[in-house]
Amino acid sequence: MNAHLLRLLYQALTRMGLNPSLSPTDVPDTWLVELMEGEHPLAPGRALDLGCGGGRNTRYLARRGWDATGIDLVGGAIKTARSQGAGNAAKARFVQGDVT
């Protein structure tokens, strides 16, 4: 699919409130939890979450001591991500930008 068309679709879904990555949940992806808390967990380091949406994975990493930055194209996603930060998750940084 054309990158410009995909970007427009993503922005339209976000404006209509139909973007699942902006749901109010703060539950990180299952694969990320398994990687961080599994048999051989990764030690904290730096993480870049491309297309972070509402920032749930970025905040999860920040709470676990990571230097985490989330980037998303849509300003509403970044606003949502920033508004959810509290405690250690407040250390997460969010940037609006086009990662393509």
Side-chain angles (χ1 to χ4, degrees):
M1 182 178 270
N2 178 316
H4 181 70
L5 182 60
L6 189 60
R7 182 180 306 128
L8 290 174
L9 176 62
Y10 181 74
Q11 289 174 329
L13 287 173
T14 299
R15 287 188 187 117
M16 292 186 294
L18 302 174
N19 184 338
S21 69
L22 296 179
S23 68
T25 183
D26 201 31
V27 178
D29 290 338
T30 304
W31 65 266
L32 181 60
V33 174
E34 290 173 4
L35 191 61
M36 296 294 113
E37 301 176 22
E39 187 175 334
H40 302 287
L42 293 177
R46 287 194 197 163
L48 182 60
D49 186 2
L50 302 176
C52 68
R56 61 196 171 95
N57 291 327
T58 309
R59 286 190 306 278
Y60 171 77
L61 290 168
R63 283 192 301 268
R64 298 191 57 79
W66 285 70
D67 178 11
T69 301
I71 300 175
D72 202 279
L73 175 68
V74 177
I78 295 302
K79 184 177 178 181
T80 298
R82 288 179 179 152
S83 71
Q84 301 290 323
N88 288 341
K91 295 178 184 175
R93 287 184 306 278
F94 295 99
V95 178
Q96 182 178 356
D98 184 349
V99 299
T100 61

